[in-house]
Amino acid sequence: MKILTNHIGYSAAGEKKVVVQCREGEVPETFTVLDEFGTEVFTAPLAYAGPVDRWEMGTYYTGTFCEITDEGTYRIKVGNDVSPDFEVRRFLITMRMINAVSYYFKAQRSSGEWLHEDRTLRFNGPREGCLDVHGGWYDASGDVGIHLSHLSHSSYCNPQQHPLSAYLFFKAHERVCGSGNEYYTMLSRRLLDEGYWGADFLMRMHVPNGSFLLSIKRINPLGPVQGSRMIDFEYRKSSNKVWAKTAEADEEVITDERYEASLRSGGGMAIAALAAAGRNWLPSSDYSQEEYLQCAKQAWHHLLAHNERYTNDGEWNLVDEYCALTAASELYKTTKEYEYLVSARTMARRIIGRSVEVADGMRRLEVADGIPFYHASDEGLPIVALLGYVELETDERRRQTVIRTAEELMRWKIHLTKSVTNPFGYPRLECLEEGKLVGRFFFPHTSAAAPWWQGDNARLSSLASAAMLVASVTDDERLSADCKKMAQDPLDWIMGLNPYDSSMIEGYGRNNIQYFFKGRYDFLNCPGGIVNGITSGIEDEHGIEFVSEPDERVDDNWRWGEQWIPHASWFLLAMALKQE
């Protein structure tokens, strides 16, 4: 029997859940909460949930203890088994996690030999020139490259990488400053400092009268630094970031546009970050408020007119639109210039137009006719973008239309999550399989990004953020309660309440896993960073997997054990939104 809890702790006023993972023949009936002195302070029945899909990890029982609101250290007892200690605190859990993530990003800043190389960096391929593009954050445990996005060849699977991180530091800073918690003073300063580190890099990656350069590539991760880095392009038919070039890639003509970002491949989020930078300022930043803002404006007008030139298919899609909505909203928030509000209204309307009714009061987003929207890292971003726009909209009719759509989208996500045995409340997704819509726990192996797939931790925190925002605007008490649970469950999963009893945050909780590359531990994970996480089975999409050691199947566990900045970025926002 395993008693599974959030390793790090629960907010005093928030949701609190325990999951008991049982072997055959174990039938627990109740659980008891003990305080730090071993005194029984709460007892309640456990509810039978059953086995999950084809996970084959045991049978599950669940219980809640939201009645425990006094701060302190606690543990759970079931029969003769007792869990490790966990905390219940007001503000302290979220503060510790914001603190951890902030230090992780500071450790990921490009420095030393890499920063020196990036001061005079040449292009990979035919584009000529040499630029100073120093700064930014390393992308992942084993990748000291710096990327606005990748997977552009997939059309719909672009993750938002460096620009999203910069933008979410500004967004988290604003939320923290408005939280009413006096102890956030120093945290807010560090959030702003990190946001400007990211924004300054984006300024250097900006192409005058154009978009933003996509990527700084590292060639041999274990080789010498000198001469190993270059400003890179992306193929539009296959990925050159993770996998070897295909025959199709060899046939492609590399033009200047291949080096620059569309709205969906980082351009939209870069504009949002710079617009946010334009209404704040630090003496240590390399540019003035006006320079950040003018750069954001120029890039916005260029991409609004020419986005199709930079996409892989010559078209706009949902990902472009929610990135553009975020950019337009931030430009309007900073400038109060009406044209940006008009653009935000247009993008919000286009996003709503991509939603379809699936049942009374529930809607799904589609990226194309009949193709549901799901995403490995940013599934909550459309709702976050819509509700960010709602904060600025003064027309009540438009506000209510957007809020209603966000509610209906979240109701469908909650319905998918509740529709099967799911004791952890893991947010499920919906995808196409052989022409049929199917529900899944994890990002599928057969998406448009295949053979790329990995753990969902960024996706989980993005949906937690979206759920918290819907809870803050809805008048529907039942939906609000469901959203608060939908927000807490994914965060509990990341902080240890999962079938592997593993905290995904290096240096916090128990059973952290390390990233190994070709069976070697050359790229140890950084404290405060978050690994990719748990996936479906290697051979079975209905199974479950979390590879922590090299074996005959896997000598590079990047899909599970490598840290990646979008996971930490979305987790940062979720912690800032909790404010409890």
Side-chain angles (χ1 to χ4, degrees):
M1 180 185 297
K2 281 187 179 180
I3 303 171
L4 304 172
T5 67
N6 181 320
H7 294 185
I8 298 162
Y10 303 86
S11 297
E15 298 283 325
K16 302 176 191 69
K17 179 167 72 176
V18 59
V19 176
V20 182
Q21 184 172 271
C22 298
R23 297 185 295 266
E24 186 176 352
E26 293 177 327
V27 185
E29 295 182 353
T30 62
F31 73 99
T32 298
V33 180
L34 310 177
D35 67 14
E36 60 186 310
F37 304 108
T39 304
E40 297 183 3
V41 294
F42 180 77
T43 298
L46 288 163
Y48 174 74
V52 179
D53 210 354
R54 293 201 290 262
W55 290 9
E56 298 180 356
M57 299 286 286
T59 298
Y60 295 98
Y61 293 77
T62 65
T64 60
F65 51 104
C66 301
E67 292 83 353
I68 301 296
T69 58
D70 290 340
E71 292 190 294
T73 301
Y74 297 89
R75 61 186 73 93
I76 302 288
K77 183 177 181 181
V78 180
N80 293 322
D81 294 300
V82 180
S83 74
D85 290 350
F86 58 85
E87 291 186 276
V88 172
R89 298 291 179 190
R90 183 176 180 270
F91 286 120
L92 185 59
I93 305 302
T94 51
M95 287 175 63
R96 287 181 67 202
M97 293 301 95
I98 292 170
N99 184 61
V101 168
S102 299
Y103 275 117
Y104 161 72
F105 269 92
K106 183 154 285 192
Q108 297 309 110
R109 289 185 179 192
S110 174
S111 62
E113 293 179 87
W114 294 280
L115 185 140
H116 176 75
E117 282 288 299
D118 293 348
R119 289 185 185 277
T120 52
L121 208 59
R122 297 189 179 278
F123 290 89
N124 180 27
R127 190 161 174 168
E128 296 182 353
C130 182
L131 299 174
D132 179 354
V133 286
H134 74 277
W137 300 291
Y138 306 135
D139 190 61
S141 301
D143 186 358
V144 292
I146 305 170
H147 315 301
L148 272 66
S149 182
H150 74 301
L151 304 177
S152 296
H153 65 287
S154 67
S155 298
Y156 309 125
C157 297
N158 275 92
Q160 305 306 310
Q161 291 168 245
H162 186 285
L164 174 79
S165 299
Y167 170 58
L168 291 185
F169 270 106
F170 288 114
K171 196 170 182 69
H173 169 262
E174 291 177 353
R175 289 285 174 169
V176 160
C177 288
S179 68
N181 178 2
E182 61 182 310
Y183 301 114
Y184 274 129
T185 304
M186 293 306 297
L187 285 180
S188 67
R189 287 189 173 123
R190 290 221 318 277
L191 292 172
L192 206 56
D193 181 38
E194 218 57 41
Y196 276 105
W197 176 263
D200 287 352
F201 172 75
L202 294 173
M203 291 288 287
R204 297 181 199 106
M205 293 288 275
H206 178 241
V207 178
N209 301 314
S211 179
F212 299 87
L213 297 171
L214 263 170
S215 176
I216 295 175
K217 177 183 181 180
R218 60 93 178 97
I219 301 173
N220 180 356
L222 292 174
V225 173
Q226 187 174 9
S228 71
R229 296 169 73 77
M230 57 191 69
I231 301 168
D232 204 15
F233 58 86
E234 274 208 308
Y235 293 103
R236 293 186 177 177
K237 295 182 181 179
S238 65
S239 172
N240 65 332
K241 290 290 185 292
V242 181
W243 313 106
K245 292 191 296 183
T246 67
E248 283 184 323
D250 290 332
E251 297 171 0
E252 294 192 44
V253 176
I254 306 304
T255 61
D256 279 359
E257 285 87 353
R258 302 295 182 91
Y259 294 87
E260 297 180 35
S262 63
L263 286 162
R264 77 178 78 148
S265 59
M269 286 297 150
I271 294 165
L274 295 178
R279 64 174 176 269
N280 295 282
W281 191 67
L282 280 183
S284 59
S285 57
D286 288 350
Y287 303 89
S288 68
Q289 284 180 301
E290 184 62 21
E291 286 174 307
Y292 292 117
L293 187 55
Q294 288 306 313
C295 183
K297 285 183 172 184
Q298 186 278 311
W300 167 258
H301 289 107
H302 180 78
L303 283 174
L304 191 62
H306 303 293
N307 187 54
E308 297 91 333
R309 286 170 46 190
Y310 300 99
T311 64
N312 69 310
D313 52 11
E315 298 178 357
W316 281 67
N317 68 31
L318 173 66
V319 186
D320 294 289
E321 288 159 0
Y322 62 63
C323 292
L325 174 58
T326 306
S329 296
E330 291 299 323
L331 281 165
Y332 179 69
K333 189 173 183 178
T334 300
T335 67
K336 298 298 185 288
E337 293 175 11
Y338 184 63
E339 66 166 301
Y340 301 116
L341 180 59
V342 171
S343 291
R345 287 170 173 171
T346 299
M347 294 303 158
R349 186 169 62 249
R350 285 164 64 169
I351 293 169
I352 292 169
R354 294 187 187 272
S355 67
V356 297
E357 185 174 349
V358 289
D360 184 33
M362 294 189 287
R363 303 182 76 82
R364 78 160 63 90
L365 277 173
E366 293 188 343
V367 293
D369 290 344
I371 303 177
F373 171 72
Y374 63 94
H375 203 281
S377 61
D378 306 318
E379 202 164 298
L381 185 48
I383 292 175
V384 172
L386 286 169
L387 294 183
Y389 153 67
V390 161
E391 293 177 5
L392 310 172
E393 180 56 75
T394 57
D395 184 301
E396 189 60 25
R397 179 182 59 82
R398 288 189 172 96
R399 290 186 77 259
Q400 291 305 317
T401 297
V402 174
I403 290 171
R404 185 169 63 251
T405 300
E407 290 174 332
E408 292 171 344
L409 293 172
M410 188 55 67
R411 284 193 186 98
W412 178 241
K413 180 58 64 176
I414 291 167
H415 172 78
L416 280 174
T417 298
K418 287 183 170 183
S419 62
V420 298
T421 300
N422 191 359
F424 297 94
Y426 192 94
R428 297 175 73 243
L429 56 82
E430 187 181 36
C431 60
L432 273 181
E433 185 177 282
E434 297 179 352
K436 295 182 180 179
L437 288 170
V438 297
R440 283 279 180 268
F441 277 99
F442 306 105
F443 189 78
H445 302 184
T446 55
S447 74
W452 185 95
W453 53 274
Q454 63 175 48
D456 290 355
N457 283 338
R459 172 180 168 264
L460 300 187
S461 290
S462 77
L463 287 167
S465 299
M468 278 184 267
L469 289 171
V470 172
S472 72
V473 298
T474 186
D475 294 326
D476 183 331
E477 292 184 3
R478 179 177 177 182
L479 177 61
S480 178
D482 284 343
C483 282
K484 289 175 182 176
K485 187 175 185 302
M486 185 77 169
Q488 186 62 42
D489 284 341
L491 302 178
D492 285 342
W493 177 279
I494 291 169
M495 292 191 278
L497 208 172
N498 56 66
Y500 294 91
D501 194 26
S502 173
S503 170
M504 308 289 175
I505 308 164
E506 174 67 18
Y508 292 82
R510 303 180 300 280
N511 304 323
N512 303 148
I513 73 167
Q514 285 299 323
Y515 170 51
F516 56 82
F517 174 75
K518 304 302 181 185
R520 294 171 54 91
Y521 292 94
D522 292 283
F523 306 105
L524 294 177
N525 286 331
C526 181
I530 298 176
V531 299
N532 287 332
I534 297 167
T535 70
S536 58
I538 295 174
E539 302 295 337
D540 181 5
E541 292 265 32
H542 291 273
I544 190 170
E545 191 65 74
F546 194 47
V547 178
S548 60
E549 300 287 345
D551 60 28
E552 66 279 1
R553 304 168 304 162
V554 175
D555 68 354
D556 178 355
N557 73 334
W558 71 269
R559 299 187 194 274
W560 304 274
E562 187 173 20
Q563 292 176 335
W564 189 39
I565 59 173
H567 302 309
S569 303
W570 278 116
F571 186 77
L572 172 77
L573 180 64
M575 289 293 113
L577 290 171
K578 279 180 68 66
Q579 297 184 30
E580 61 180 22

